[in-house]
């Protein structure tokens, strides 16, 4: 039972970290304070029995509040540590500069074909502004919207050209947060793309995606729409 409450506090810390957006050092300082409170609590546990008996602790919880605080601040610190550092080595550093870029990287997922465009999820490796020649090493994921003309698959090394922008944030559904949860902080709408090399990804994942595509092809051959589309989803 204590593990349940500690896990719940950890998840609450993740939500708290997303709401407050405090720097990592703040959460680490609070975590250190909670650790100190826990040590004090353990050292003076016998003297605090009467004090804890007066607190509104649920009957099944037999752990100090300081441990719950530790789990809470651990969750918030974990969230902040997972967020990328936006500097010149990260692709999002070049967002919204009103300059077209050439970006080279590798597809980390199969293409997502939509009605009017195809989404390519690319891990960037290098870029330069259009008109320049020297590439700058970068890292990070970007989502490129390209026309349907090309044929791409997981593991392709591609060359993209277009504007790098921050994903939009609108009221209601926040596309920016949706992509951020996937680790994507850059969008290249209307990009021009061409394939440079094939089979640059993980061979195991390549085999999995290939078998998945074969299974989907089999579904569409055996069943008509809309049944096939339902099974494909």
């Amino acid at each position: 039972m204590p593990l349940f409450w500690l896990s719940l506090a950890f998840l609450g810390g993740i939500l708290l970290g997303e709401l407050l957006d405090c720097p990592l050092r703040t959460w680490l300082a609070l975590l250190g304070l909670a650790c100190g409170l826990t040590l004090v609590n353990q050292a003076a546990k016998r003297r605090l029995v009467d004090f804890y008996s007066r607190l509104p602790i649920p009957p099944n919880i037999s752990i100090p509040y300081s441990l719950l605080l530790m789990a809470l601040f651990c969750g918030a610190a974990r969230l902040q540590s997972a967020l990328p550092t936006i500097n010149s080595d990260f692709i999002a550093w070049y967002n919204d500069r009103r300059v077209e870029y050439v970006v080279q990287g590798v597809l980390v997922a199969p293409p997502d074909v939509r009605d009017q465009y195809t989404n390519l999820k690319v891990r960037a490796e290098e870029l330069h502004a259009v008109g320049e020649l020297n590439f700058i090493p970068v890292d990070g994921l970007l989502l490129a919207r390209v026309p349907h003309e090309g044929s791409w698959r997981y593991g392709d090394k591609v060359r993209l050209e277009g504007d790098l922008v921050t994903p939009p944030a609108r009221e209601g559904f926040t596309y920016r947060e949706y992509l951020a949860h996937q680790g994507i902080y850059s969008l290249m709408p209307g990009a021009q793309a061409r394939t440079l090399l094939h089979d640059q990804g993980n061979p195991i994942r390549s085999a999995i995606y290939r078998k998945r595509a074969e299974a989907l092809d089999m579904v569409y051959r055996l069943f008509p729409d809309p049944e096939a589309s339902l099974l494909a989803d």
Side-chain angles (χ1 to χ4, degrees):
M1 201 62 172
L3 182 60
F4 169 78
W5 291 106
L6 289 173
S7 302
L8 196 62
F10 184 84
L11 294 175
I14 293 177
L15 294 176
L16 184 65
E18 188 168 356
L19 289 174
L20 297 184
D21 196 24
C22 295
L24 178 61
R25 60 179 179 271
T26 299
W27 297 117
L28 291 178
L30 292 172
L31 178 59
L33 179 61
C35 288
L37 290 174
T38 302
L39 293 175
V40 170
N41 173 74
Q42 293 301 316
K45 190 173 182 180
R46 293 182 179 178
R47 298 183 180 180
L48 294 175
V49 169
D50 182 63
F51 172 74
Y52 275 110
S53 65
R54 300 177 183 178
L55 293 177
I57 304 177
N60 291 330
I61 298 181
S62 58
I63 55 176
Y65 278 163
S66 55
L67 279 179
L68 295 177
L69 287 175
M70 284 181 59
L72 183 76
F73 297 143
C74 273
R78 176 65 183 90
L79 173 69
Q80 289 299 319
S81 65
L83 295 178
T85 301
I86 307 298
N87 55 29
S88 59
D89 295 327
F90 192 67
I91 186 69
W93 175 266
Y94 303 92
N95 289 355
D96 308 317
R97 301 231 174 169
R98 298 182 180 179
V99 176
E100 288 194 344
Y101 285 97
V102 174
V103 181
Q104 293 188 172
V106 177
L107 265 67
V108 297
D112 178 16
V113 180
R114 303 297 179 92
D115 291 338
Q116 299 180 347
Y117 57 85
T118 298
N119 281 330
L120 301 180
K121 186 177 180 181
V122 177
R123 179 169 296 282
E125 296 180 343
E126 55 188 4
L127 63 72
H128 67 70
V130 172
E132 299 180 0
L133 297 177
N134 296 325
F135 278 99
I136 303 170
V138 293
D139 191 19
L141 297 174
L142 72 93
L143 188 69
R145 291 178 177 173
V146 301
H148 287 314
E149 290 90 2
S151 176
W152 301 276
R153 64 175 185 263
Y154 166 81
D156 284 350
K157 183 171 183 178
V158 295
R159 180 186 186 275
L160 304 170
E161 183 175 333
D163 294 316
L164 284 170
V165 300
T166 301
R170 302 184 180 93
E171 294 183 2
F173 174 72
T174 306
Y175 192 52
R176 182 182 302 172
E177 293 183 4
Y178 170 75
L179 292 181
H181 285 298
Q182 303 178 48
I184 301 173
Y185 297 87
S186 296
L187 185 66
M188 186 177 277
Q192 299 299 315
R194 63 183 177 91
T195 303
L196 301 177
L197 294 169
H198 295 296
D199 302 323
Q200 300 300 299
N202 185 295
I204 296 177
R205 294 189 67 181
S206 294
I208 293 173
Y209 286 133
R210 186 167 55 252
K211 292 299 182 183
R212 179 176 178 269
E214 292 174 359
L216 288 177
D217 182 63
M218 179 68 70
V219 167
Y220 278 102
R221 281 186 297 174
L222 293 176
F223 301 98
D225 272 328
E227 289 82 359
S229 296
L230 290 173
L231 291 172
D233 292 337

PDB file of all heavy atoms in Angstrom, residues 21-41:
ATOM      1  N   ASP A  21       6.270  24.743 -14.086  1.00  0.00           N
ATOM      2  CA  ASP A  21       7.398  25.002 -14.984  1.00  0.00           C
ATOM      3  C   ASP A  21       8.554  25.688 -14.255  1.00  0.00           C
ATOM      4  O   ASP A  21       9.142  26.656 -14.761  1.00  0.00           O
ATOM      5  CB  ASP A  21       6.933  25.861 -16.175  1.00  0.00           C
ATOM      6  CG  ASP A  21       7.953  25.838 -17.313  1.00  0.00           C
ATOM      7  OD1 ASP A  21       8.728  24.873 -17.384  1.00  0.00           O
ATOM      8  OD2 ASP A  21       7.980  26.806 -18.108  1.00  0.00           O
ATOM      9  N   CYS A  22       8.896  25.217 -13.074  1.00  0.00           N
ATOM     10  CA  CYS A  22      10.053  25.730 -12.332  1.00  0.00           C
ATOM     11  C   CYS A  22      11.322  25.062 -12.853  1.00  0.00           C
ATOM     12  O   CYS A  22      11.281  23.938 -13.355  1.00  0.00           O
ATOM     13  CB  CYS A  22       9.905  25.453 -10.838  1.00  0.00           C
ATOM     14  SG  CYS A  22       8.526  26.324 -10.067  1.00  0.00           S
ATOM     15  N   PRO A  23      12.477  25.724 -12.713  1.00  0.00           N
ATOM     16  CA  PRO A  23      13.726  25.105 -13.176  1.00  0.00           C
ATOM     17  C   PRO A  23      14.082  23.873 -12.356  1.00  0.00           C
ATOM     18  O   PRO A  23      13.624  23.699 -11.218  1.00  0.00           O
ATOM     19  CB  PRO A  23      14.766  26.228 -13.000  1.00  0.00           C
ATOM     20  CG  PRO A  23      14.167  27.157 -11.999  1.00  0.00           C
ATOM     21  CD  PRO A  23      12.679  27.087 -12.196  1.00  0.00           C
ATOM     22  N   LEU A  24      14.945  23.042 -12.929  1.00  0.00           N
ATOM     23  CA  LEU A  24      15.319  21.787 -12.287  1.00  0.00           C
ATOM     24  C   LEU A  24      15.953  22.020 -10.920  1.00  0.00           C
ATOM     25  O   LEU A  24      15.697  21.270  -9.970  1.00  0.00           O
ATOM     26  CB  LEU A  24      16.285  21.019 -13.197  1.00  0.00           C
ATOM     27  CG  LEU A  24      16.835  19.692 -12.656  1.00  0.00           C
ATOM     28  CD1 LEU A  24      15.710  18.708 -12.383  1.00  0.00           C
ATOM     29  CD2 LEU A  24      17.844  19.100 -13.639  1.00  0.00           C
ATOM     30  N   ARG A  25      16.780  23.064 -10.792  1.00  0.00           N
ATOM     31  CA  ARG A  25      17.464  23.300  -9.517  1.00  0.00           C
ATOM     32  C   ARG A  25      16.476  23.599  -8.382  1.00  0.00           C
ATOM     33  O   ARG A  25      16.746  23.281  -7.224  1.00  0.00           O
ATOM     34  CB  ARG A  25      18.466  24.441  -9.650  1.00  0.00           C
ATOM     35  CG  ARG A  25      17.882  25.774 -10.064  1.00  0.00           C
ATOM     36  CD  ARG A  25      18.955  26.838 -10.140  1.00  0.00           C
ATOM     37  NE  ARG A  25      18.407  28.119 -10.571  1.00  0.00           N
ATOM     38  CZ  ARG A  25      18.312  28.499 -11.837  1.00  0.00           C
ATOM     39  NH1 ARG A  25      18.713  27.670 -12.798  1.00  0.00           N
ATOM     40  NH2 ARG A  25      17.791  29.669 -12.162  1.00  0.00           N
ATOM     41  N   THR A  26      15.323  24.194  -8.712  1.00  0.00           N
ATOM     42  CA  THR A  26      14.315  24.462  -7.686  1.00  0.00           C
ATOM     43  C   THR A  26      13.752  23.153  -7.152  1.00  0.00           C
ATOM     44  O   THR A  26      13.620  22.966  -5.934  1.00  0.00           O
ATOM     45  CB  THR A  26      13.186  25.324  -8.268  1.00  0.00           C
ATOM     46  OG1 THR A  26      13.724  26.568  -8.719  1.00  0.00           O
ATOM     47  CG2 THR A  26      12.114  25.592  -7.211  1.00  0.00           C
ATOM     48  N   TRP A  27      13.419  22.239  -8.061  1.00  0.00           N
ATOM     49  CA  TRP A  27      12.868  20.957  -7.619  1.00  0.00           C
ATOM     50  C   TRP A  27      13.907  20.144  -6.865  1.00  0.00           C
ATOM     51  O   TRP A  27      13.578  19.438  -5.910  1.00  0.00           O
ATOM     52  CB  TRP A  27      12.334  20.173  -8.819  1.00  0.00           C
ATOM     53  CG  TRP A  27      11.194  20.847  -9.519  1.00  0.00           C
ATOM     54  CD1 TRP A  27      11.165  21.297 -10.797  1.00  0.00           C
ATOM     55  CD2 TRP A  27       9.915  21.157  -8.958  1.00  0.00           C
ATOM     56  NE1 TRP A  27       9.955  21.873 -11.078  1.00  0.00           N
ATOM     57  CE2 TRP A  27       9.167  21.797  -9.967  1.00  0.00           C
ATOM     58  CE3 TRP A  27       9.334  20.962  -7.709  1.00  0.00           C
ATOM     59  CZ2 TRP A  27       7.868  22.240  -9.770  1.00  0.00           C
ATOM     60  CZ3 TRP A  27       8.029  21.406  -7.504  1.00  0.00           C
ATOM     61  CH2 TRP A  27       7.313  22.032  -8.523  1.00  0.00           C
ATOM     62  N   LEU A  28      15.178  20.228  -7.281  1.00  0.00           N
ATOM     63  CA  LEU A  28      16.227  19.502  -6.568  1.00  0.00           C
ATOM     64  C   LEU A  28      16.425  20.065  -5.161  1.00  0.00           C
ATOM     65  O   LEU A  28      16.675  19.311  -4.211  1.00  0.00           O
ATOM     66  CB  LEU A  28      17.539  19.562  -7.357  1.00  0.00           C
ATOM     67  CG  LEU A  28      17.564  18.781  -8.682  1.00  0.00           C
ATOM     68  CD1 LEU A  28      18.899  18.965  -9.381  1.00  0.00           C
ATOM     69  CD2 LEU A  28      17.291  17.299  -8.435  1.00  0.00           C
ATOM     70  N   ALA A  29      16.310  21.396  -5.019  1.00  0.00           N
ATOM     71  CA  ALA A  29      16.423  21.996  -3.692  1.00  0.00           C
ATOM     72  C   ALA A  29      15.279  21.546  -2.789  1.00  0.00           C
ATOM     73  O   ALA A  29      15.484  21.211  -1.607  1.00  0.00           O
ATOM     74  CB  ALA A  29      16.448  23.518  -3.817  1.00  0.00           C
ATOM     75  N   LEU A  30      14.066  21.530  -3.343  1.00  0.00           N
ATOM     76  CA  LEU A  30      12.917  21.057  -2.569  1.00  0.00           C
ATOM     77  C   LEU A  30      13.052  19.569  -2.229  1.00  0.00           C
ATOM     78  O   LEU A  30      12.675  19.136  -1.126  1.00  0.00           O
ATOM     79  CB  LEU A  30      11.627  21.305  -3.344  1.00  0.00           C
ATOM     80  CG  LEU A  30      11.227  22.778  -3.511  1.00  0.00           C
ATOM     81  CD1 LEU A  30      10.045  22.905  -4.461  1.00  0.00           C
ATOM     82  CD2 LEU A  30      10.892  23.401  -2.158  1.00  0.00           C
ATOM     83  N   LEU A  31      13.607  18.802  -3.166  1.00  0.00           N
ATOM     84  CA  LEU A  31      13.840  17.387  -2.905  1.00  0.00           C
ATOM     85  C   LEU A  31      14.843  17.199  -1.771  1.00  0.00           C
ATOM     86  O   LEU A  31      14.667  16.346  -0.895  1.00  0.00           O
ATOM     87  CB  LEU A  31      14.334  16.700  -4.172  1.00  0.00           C
ATOM     88  CG  LEU A  31      14.682  15.207  -4.064  1.00  0.00           C
ATOM     89  CD1 LEU A  31      13.478  14.399  -3.604  1.00  0.00           C
ATOM     90  CD2 LEU A  31      15.202  14.686  -5.404  1.00  0.00           C
ATOM     91  N   GLY A  32      15.904  18.011  -1.787  1.00  0.00           N
ATOM     92  CA  GLY A  32      16.877  17.946  -0.696  1.00  0.00           C
ATOM     93  C   GLY A  32      16.258  18.300   0.644  1.00  0.00           C
ATOM     94  O   GLY A  32      16.564  17.682   1.665  1.00  0.00           O
ATOM     95  N   LEU A  33      15.371  19.301   0.633  1.00  0.00           N
ATOM     96  CA  LEU A  33      14.683  19.675   1.866  1.00  0.00           C
ATOM     97  C   LEU A  33      13.807  18.533   2.368  1.00  0.00           C
ATOM     98  O   LEU A  33      13.786  18.231   3.572  1.00  0.00           O
ATOM     99  CB  LEU A  33      13.839  20.930   1.623  1.00  0.00           C
ATOM    100  CG  LEU A  33      13.023  21.453   2.816  1.00  0.00           C
ATOM    101  CD1 LEU A  33      13.949  21.834   3.958  1.00  0.00           C
ATOM    102  CD2 LEU A  33      12.171  22.646   2.388  1.00  0.00           C
ATOM    103  N   ALA A  34      13.096  17.879   1.440  1.00  0.00           N
ATOM    104  CA  ALA A  34      12.255  16.747   1.826  1.00  0.00           C
ATOM    105  C   ALA A  34      13.094  15.589   2.358  1.00  0.00           C
ATOM    106  O   ALA A  34      12.704  14.902   3.301  1.00  0.00           O
ATOM    107  CB  ALA A  34      11.421  16.290   0.636  1.00  0.00           C
ATOM    108  N   CYS A  35      14.273  15.376   1.768  1.00  0.00           N
ATOM    109  CA  CYS A  35      15.168  14.327   2.270  1.00  0.00           C
ATOM    110  C   CYS A  35      15.610  14.651   3.700  1.00  0.00           C
ATOM    111  O   CYS A  35      15.663  13.767   4.565  1.00  0.00           O
ATOM    112  CB  CYS A  35      16.395  14.200   1.374  1.00  0.00           C
ATOM    113  SG  CYS A  35      16.073  13.461  -0.242  1.00  0.00           S
ATOM    114  N   GLY A  36      15.922  15.930   3.944  1.00  0.00           N
ATOM    115  CA  GLY A  36      16.302  16.328   5.291  1.00  0.00           C
ATOM    116  C   GLY A  36      15.181  16.108   6.285  1.00  0.00           C
ATOM    117  O   GLY A  36      15.409  15.635   7.407  1.00  0.00           O
ATOM    118  N   LEU A  37      13.955  16.436   5.868  1.00  0.00           N
ATOM    119  CA  LEU A  37      12.814  16.210   6.749  1.00  0.00           C
ATOM    120  C   LEU A  37      12.631  14.723   7.038  1.00  0.00           C
ATOM    121  O   LEU A  37      12.271  14.331   8.158  1.00  0.00           O
ATOM    122  CB  LEU A  37      11.547  16.780   6.114  1.00  0.00           C
ATOM    123  CG  LEU A  37      11.457  18.309   6.024  1.00  0.00           C
ATOM    124  CD1 LEU A  37      10.218  18.721   5.246  1.00  0.00           C
ATOM    125  CD2 LEU A  37      11.446  18.925   7.419  1.00  0.00           C
ATOM    126  N   THR A  38      12.882  13.892   6.027  1.00  0.00           N
ATOM    127  CA  THR A  38      12.747  12.448   6.232  1.00  0.00           C
ATOM    128  C   THR A  38      13.778  11.946   7.236  1.00  0.00           C
ATOM    129  O   THR A  38      13.465  11.122   8.113  1.00  0.00           O
ATOM    130  CB  THR A  38      12.916  11.709   4.891  1.00  0.00           C
ATOM    131  OG1 THR A  38      11.932  12.183   3.963  1.00  0.00           O
ATOM    132  CG2 THR A  38      12.745  10.212   5.070  1.00  0.00           C
ATOM    133  N   LEU A  39      15.012  12.419   7.133  1.00  0.00           N
ATOM    134  CA  LEU A  39      16.048  11.996   8.071  1.00  0.00           C
ATOM    135  C   LEU A  39      15.723  12.444   9.496  1.00  0.00           C
ATOM    136  O   LEU A  39      15.898  11.688  10.456  1.00  0.00           O
ATOM    137  CB  LEU A  39      17.406  12.570   7.638  1.00  0.00           C
ATOM    138  CG  LEU A  39      17.970  12.005   6.319  1.00  0.00           C
ATOM    139  CD1 LEU A  39      19.246  12.739   5.945  1.00  0.00           C
ATOM    140  CD2 LEU A  39      18.221  10.510   6.434  1.00  0.00           C
ATOM    141  N   VAL A  40      15.237  13.696   9.609  1.00  0.00           N
ATOM    142  CA  VAL A  40      14.849  14.187  10.928  1.00  0.00           C
ATOM    143  C   VAL A  40      13.704  13.356  11.486  1.00  0.00           C
ATOM    144  O   VAL A  40      13.672  13.011  12.678  1.00  0.00           O
ATOM    145  CB  VAL A  40      14.463  15.676  10.850  1.00  0.00           C
ATOM    146  CG1 VAL A  40      13.828  16.142  12.154  1.00  0.00           C
ATOM    147  CG2 VAL A  40      15.691  16.524  10.522  1.00  0.00           C
ATOM    148  N   ASN A  41      12.751  13.031  10.594  1.00  0.00           N
ATOM    149  CA  ASN A  41      11.609  12.234  11.030  1.00  0.00           C
ATOM    150  C   ASN A  41      12.047  10.864  11.543  1.00  0.00           C
ATOM    151  O   ASN A  41      11.561  10.389  12.569  1.00  0.00           O
ATOM    152  CB  ASN A  41      10.620  12.075   9.880  1.00  0.00           C
ATOM    153  CG  ASN A  41       9.492  11.112  10.210  1.00  0.00           C
ATOM    154  OD1 ASN A  41       8.592  11.438  10.971  1.00  0.00           O
ATOM    155  ND2 ASN A  41       9.562   9.914   9.634  1.00  0.00           N
TER     156      ASN A  41
END
